[in-house]
Amino acid sequence: METGGPGTGAVLLANSEDSADRVYALILDLSSAASDRREAALVELSKKREAYEDLAPILWHSFGVMTALLQEIVLVYPYLSPATLTNQASNRVCNALALLQCVASHPDTRALFLNADIPLFLYPFLNTTSKTRAFEYLRLTSLGVIGALVKNDNSEVINFLLSTEIIPLCLRIMESGSELSKTVAIFIVQKILLDEMGLAYICQTYERFYAVGTVLSNMVSQLVESPSVRLLKHVVRCYLRLSDNPRAKEALRQCLPEPLRDNTFGGVLKDDVTTKRCLGNLLSNLSEGS
């Protein structure tokens, strides 16, 4: 059965070319001296980033564009302390961060993104503590960029992150952020732990293990009061991975939070077979040879 007339292919091609031309025009606007044109381009391109698969390489290789995106980030620094960031300024910089996330997640630009140390520009945002919507959105979007980097289990990414202060930044957000921010922060820590180098790094000294273990334990206490299957899943998987390290396993035999041992979360996990199995594996690991 025919799905279109003879001109359908030509129309689709023309629409595709129009779309590409529009993207190139918006990318040119990112380098515009006119602030309102740049802001409008940020909004439109952040909406198009999922639909246009080659956007990341085009952004990276277009003259002046990465500089313009970093300028958007640096312009916000003076409003971090004292905390005077407005919702409008937060939305604008988060649109720039969304484009950086696009570059961070693309296989052709990920290594370039890391080699230029661009994640470090986001750390001042992760270091903020204000609970306002503007700051929460800023932290969440910044975490999304780091989350995009770790998603593909790349050892180069983990090596880069371990050489920076990302773990303490994530730990603080895991303890005091919103549920969404906590979820992305613990996802990043979990991905670092799943890498052999990351697990060895965290278990290398008592101080590092204690820092991670204390925050995970505090999260368990919070989850007893306010259950969240999504967060609990990541907490259990972090503990399970830590138990793969002999020294950490020995320590966890003494300090694994009681609510993970005594079926406190039985009701919360009744429909989550995978997390229940992970918790069972964790308890089994800790009982071996004890």
Side-chain angles (χ1 to χ4, degrees):
M1 185 174 71
E2 288 189 14
T3 56
T8 303
V11 169
L12 288 173
L13 182 61
N15 287 342
S16 172
E17 287 172 354
D18 287 346
S19 176
D21 288 345
R22 178 65 184 144
V23 167
Y24 286 123
L26 289 169
I27 287 171
L28 280 175
D29 283 348
L30 286 179
S31 302
S32 170
S35 179
D36 55 342
R37 280 181 65 184
R38 189 187 285 194
E39 184 171 9
L42 285 169
V43 171
E44 273 209 61
L45 283 169
S46 65
K47 288 176 184 172
K48 289 178 182 291
R49 69 187 192 279
E50 302 292 340
Y52 202 79
E53 61 183 32
D54 290 328
L55 183 59
I58 295 168
L59 287 170
W60 183 268
H61 294 291
S62 295
F63 179 78
V65 166
M66 295 308 296
T67 304
L69 293 177
L70 291 178
Q71 187 179 35
E72 290 290 329
I73 286 168
V74 173
L75 284 171
V76 170
Y77 288 171
Y79 305 106
L80 302 183
S81 181
T84 52
L85 185 69
T86 64
N87 285 339
Q88 183 181 356
S90 175
N91 289 341
R92 175 167 175 154
V93 73
C94 284
N95 282 326
L97 289 169
L99 296 182
L100 288 183
Q101 180 174 334
C102 172
V103 175
S105 58
H106 197 286
D108 293 347
T109 49
R110 188 184 302 119
L112 298 167
F113 186 84
L114 281 181
N115 291 340
D117 288 339
I118 291 176
L120 301 182
F121 284 85
L122 279 53
Y123 287 13
F125 298 161
L126 297 178
N127 206 23
T128 59
T129 54
S130 170
K131 303 283 191 183
T132 65
R133 178 206 167 277
F135 278 93
E136 184 54 44
Y137 186 35
L138 183 63
R139 281 190 295 273
L140 181 60
T141 313
S142 301
L143 285 167
V145 179
I146 310 298
L149 280 172
V150 299
K151 221 171 203 173
N152 295 292
D153 304 318
N154 184 311
S155 283
E156 279 182 35
V157 171
I158 303 301
N159 194 31
F160 173 88
L161 293 176
L162 291 177
S163 71
T164 72
E165 57 179 316
I166 192 63
I167 293 174
L169 288 171
C170 283
L171 291 178
R172 188 165 72 183
I173 293 169
M174 283 160 59
E175 209 160 21
S176 60
S178 68
E179 184 180 335
L180 261 180
S181 288
K182 285 179 178 180
T183 304
V184 184
I186 195 172
F187 169 77
I188 293 165
V189 170
Q190 181 186 323
K191 283 293 193 178
I192 290 171
L193 280 169
L194 286 171
D195 185 270
E196 290 299 331
M197 189 167 40
L199 178 65
Y201 177 89
I202 285 173
C203 297
Q204 187 174 27
T205 68
Y206 172 76
E207 288 77 15
R208 289 175 193 163
F209 172 78
Y210 180 77
V212 174
T214 300
V215 171
L216 289 174
S217 177
N218 290 342
M219 289 184 78
V220 171
S221 299
Q222 292 169 2
L223 287 166
V224 171
E225 300 297 320
S226 306
S228 161
V229 177
R230 180 166 53 178
L231 271 178
L232 183 59
K233 171 182 73 175
H234 290 298
V235 170
V236 169
R237 288 181 179 183
C238 284
Y239 273 124
L240 178 59
R241 178 56 174 158
L242 283 169
S243 74
D244 287 338
N245 179 277
R247 289 170 65 197
K249 180 160 79 169
E250 199 55 46
L252 287 174
R253 284 183 177 139
Q254 310 301 320
C255 67
L256 186 74
E258 196 59 34
L260 292 178
R261 301 178 188 267
D262 65 9
N263 204 35
T264 295
F265 295 112
V268 179
L269 295 177
K270 68 179 188 297
D271 297 322
D272 190 337
V273 178
T274 306
T275 304
K276 253 196 302 197
R277 189 187 309 122
C278 286
L279 182 54
N281 290 344
L282 168 63
L283 297 175
S284 173
N285 281 1
L286 298 186
S287 66
E288 284 173 9
S290 58

